[in-house]
Amino acid sequence: MTIRSIRKGDGEAFLAMQRQLDQESDFMLLLPEERTTTNEQSEQHVEDVLARNDFLYVALDDSGQISGYIYAERGEVKKNKPFCLYCDWTAEKNA
């Protein structure tokens, strides 16, 4: 496994990981049937994030599959202006 910055072309793998998390965890914001994002929309989101200078995505890459991520974002309001941090990961394949 490799820890790396998210990059152009990761949209589909990132969305697959999110969909897996929706199935595995009760702590995700969306229920599995509520995630209607397409691969194209996910890729556009990745490209939009890469164009910003106030957002950081780091991926856990498992042989081309994204199995976890963490992101940091500069806040917009006074209380969270320094940053917002979030992370999540999928269960191990053989767990």
Side-chain angles (χ1 to χ4, degrees):
M1 287 192 200
T2 305
I3 297 173
R4 62 169 177 80
S5 294
I6 202 163
R7 57 185 175 230
K8 187 174 179 176
D10 279 340
E12 186 174 348
F14 185 76
L15 181 58
M17 187 254 332
Q18 286 183 308
R19 287 181 174 147
Q20 183 177 348
L21 282 170
D22 292 339
Q23 295 290 329
E24 292 177 355
S25 175
D26 291 332
F27 298 106
M28 296 304 290
L29 178 62
L30 299 178
L31 295 170
E33 64 271 12
E34 292 179 300
R35 190 171 301 279
T36 59
T37 306
T38 65
N39 288 334
E40 293 79 16
Q41 289 170 324
S42 184
E43 182 58 36
Q44 185 62 55
H45 173 72
V46 168
E47 291 180 24
D48 291 346
V49 165
L50 291 173
R52 295 171 58 178
N53 65 359
D54 63 348
F55 207 102
L56 172 69
Y57 256 123
V58 177
L60 180 60
D61 187 322
D62 185 6
S63 302
Q65 299 294 331
I66 295 177
S67 57
Y69 71 101
I70 187 170
Y71 77 79
E73 177 180 14
R74 184 179 312 253
E76 295 290 325
V77 295
K78 289 180 183 179
K79 272 190 163 182
N80 73 350
K81 189 124 184 145
F83 68 94
C84 172
L85 183 64
Y86 179 81
C87 64
D88 221 326
W89 58 91
T90 59
E92 290 186 39
K93 292 179 185 176
N94 298 318

